[in-house]
Amino acid sequence: MLNREKEVDLARRAKVIEWLKTEVVDHVAHLLKGMWEGSHVKMVDGLASLISSGYILGRRLGISYRSLDEAIVEKMKKHRQEGHQLEDWYGDISSLEEHLRKR
């Protein structure tokens, strides 16, 4: 690859990462609006968009989907061991950890 092509590729990758960051913010806003309106459809759509954008942003940053999944499982394991309040009250942490382990 020529030096100029490398520079263009690097600029393009940086631009994509910046765009994905704005997408994440936009998806958070969409989710919050759905919550405010009490719209189940908008909440699911906002969460799905936010999660998928997080995975894609991770990939653009050199983080594999599997690595991200493993990091989430480890984070849930740590929260569960530390007695996270959501685990104590609702069992959310172990539920998510189990869901990810089954995939």
Side-chain angles (χ1 to χ4, degrees):
M1 189 181 280
L2 299 174
N3 193 33
R4 174 76 176 134
E5 290 174 340
K6 287 181 184 178
E7 289 175 10
V8 169
D9 185 53
L10 182 61
R12 188 177 89 196
R13 290 187 350 214
K15 186 175 181 177
V16 166
I17 288 170
E18 291 303 312
W19 175 73
L20 285 167
K21 288 167 37 179
T22 65
E23 286 290 300
V24 167
V25 172
D26 185 53
H27 298 321
V28 169
H30 184 74
L31 169 61
L32 295 176
K33 186 174 182 181
M35 291 169 64
W36 176 257
E37 294 172 359
S39 170
H40 181 79
V41 171
K42 285 185 180 180
M43 288 187 283
V44 170
D45 184 62
L47 281 169
S49 297
L50 181 59
I51 292 166
S52 59
S53 288
Y55 272 92
I56 293 168
L57 177 59
R59 184 171 183 213
R60 292 292 96 221
L61 295 172
I63 302 166
S64 71
Y65 300 146
R66 178 178 296 248
S67 178
L68 188 55
D69 282 347
E70 289 170 356
I72 294 169
V73 168
E74 284 303 310
K75 184 169 286 294
M76 294 304 101
K77 181 179 175 181
K78 181 179 176 189
H79 285 326
R80 186 175 39 79
Q81 291 170 343
E82 293 173 352
H84 195 284
Q85 200 165 12
L86 288 173
E87 179 63 22
D88 293 342
W89 288 359
Y90 305 107
D92 288 346
I93 304 299
S94 57
S95 176
L96 177 57
E97 183 181 358
E98 181 181 338
H99 168 75
L100 290 171
R101 287 187 188 281
K102 287 181 178 179
R103 293 198 317 179

